[in-house]
Each structure stands twice: as C-alpha cells, then as structure tokens.
Amino acid sequence: MQIQNRFEVPMPPAQAWTFLMNIPATVACFPGAELVEKIDEDNYRGRVTVKLGPLTMVFSGKLVIESRDEAARSATVKATWTETKGRGNAVSVTQFFMREHGRAAAVELASDVQLAGQVAQYGRGAGMISEISAQLIAKFAENLRASIDAASSVPDETVAVKEASVPQPEISLLGLLWSAGLNRLKR
C-alpha cells in the first residue's frame, strides 16, 4: 500500500538534511524504535516495540539507506522487520525529499508498506494504516523538533543531539487505532 506523509523541520533544508541523516540520533525520535547496531553509514539493525492492549510485539529488523542525493536532499530507505515470535513482518520502502518552506524545511515522504501475518490483520485496510502512519510521523516530527530545540540550546550540536535522543516508549497500537477511529469520525 502507498502512504504519503509530510512534516516540517524548524531549520533550513541543508541543516535539516544533516540532522535527519544522522540515523543514530533521529531513530530515538520514532516511537518504540531503538537502534541496536550501526553496521556502516547506510546499514543499521534495530528493534521496534508495539503494544496492543496486553500483547507486546517486538520487531527486529534492518534499515538500509538504498540511495541518497545530498544535492537534491532526497533519499530512499528500506526497512525490513520481523516479529520476534513469528506473528508477522513488515517491509517498507520510503522515499523522502526536502524543500525550503519559509525558514523551515518541508519533508515529503512516499512509502510503500507491505504487511504480512497477524500484524496485517490489526490495521484491516489501507485507510486505517494510513491514519496510523500519519500519527506516527506526527509524533516523530514532534520528538524531532524537541530534539532540535535541545540541540540548539547547547553549543556543540553533536553532543546535544545525542543527549536529546532518548528512546521513546513502545508504540501503543490500541491508542493509535483509537485516535485513527476518532479522526475518521470527525471527517
């Protein structure tokens, strides 16, 4: 399924590009995500924890930066996740690019997401998955902005980004489904 998202980063595109491509620092901004290993500049291993009521699912996987164009400030990232107890998997290929938006950078994302197993049953349709994706990206952007604010208050940005990047608690799928349902009712 194809999912489109957008968010803004409160800094010029050149600076936002450097900030976003610092995977070890930005991964902690994504709810439930944790960096396990940096293999090299373009390959990482990680873990994502998703809570569905009393059920907790842990996905282990690999994130690969398949391409990056610094001049155009665009990249393609592939993530492959497998639930550790065999309840499903997810593969996403996300292309993103940045453009100037006033004094900020607008980040446009186009994702192709494939779900299999029990995990595919929880969303029950592209509309619900799109709603959940939008909420996750909004939370990521909120955490990213907080990390940037923390970085701007310390002279050495590299140190500040590492200090500001605290792993987020697991993703509450029930909370996201509830919010997605409310958003649909509002429309």
Side-chain angles (χ1 to χ4, degrees), residues 1-62:
M1 89 188 68
Q2 300 292 319
I3 300 172
Q4 306 288 322
N5 288 298
R6 180 185 183 283
F7 66 93
E8 290 183 16
V9 181
M11 56 179 49
Q15 194 177 1
W17 169 261
T18 301
F19 198 88
L20 283 173
M21 295 309 288
N22 181 349
I23 303 300
T26 57
V27 74
C29 295
F30 195 86
E34 173 186 3
L35 183 65
V36 173
E37 175 186 10
K38 177 180 177 180
I39 299 166
D40 60 35
E41 201 62 33
D42 292 333
N43 294 278
Y44 302 86
R45 291 195 193 287
R47 184 175 18 251
V48 177
T49 304
V50 178
K51 189 162 179 61
L52 179 60
L55 176 69
T56 298
M57 294 184 289
V58 178
F59 292 85
S60 291
K62 187 173 182 182

Side-chain angles (χ1 to χ4, degrees), residues 9 11-18 73 98-106:
V9 181
M11 56 179 49
Q15 194 177 1
W17 169 261
T18 301
R73 294 185 188 92
M98 288 182 199
R99 61 180 172 74
E100 196 167 331
H101 184 73
R103 301 177 93 183

Side-chain angles (χ1 to χ4, degrees), residues 87 89 115-125 129:
R87 294 182 275 205
N89 59 53
L115 304 174
Q118 287 179 337
V119 70
Q121 296 173 9
Y122 298 130
R124 301 258 188 214
I129 298 296

Side-chain angles (χ1 to χ4, degrees), residues 81-116:
W81 303 99
T82 302
E83 204 278 330
T84 56
K85 294 184 180 173
R87 294 182 275 205
N89 59 53
V91 176
S92 67
V93 177
T94 301
Q95 297 175 316
F96 74 88
F97 68 92
M98 288 182 199
R99 61 180 172 74
E100 196 167 331
H101 184 73
R103 301 177 93 183
V107 182
E108 305 282 340
L109 301 139
S111 300
D112 180 15
V113 179
Q114 303 299 318
L115 304 174

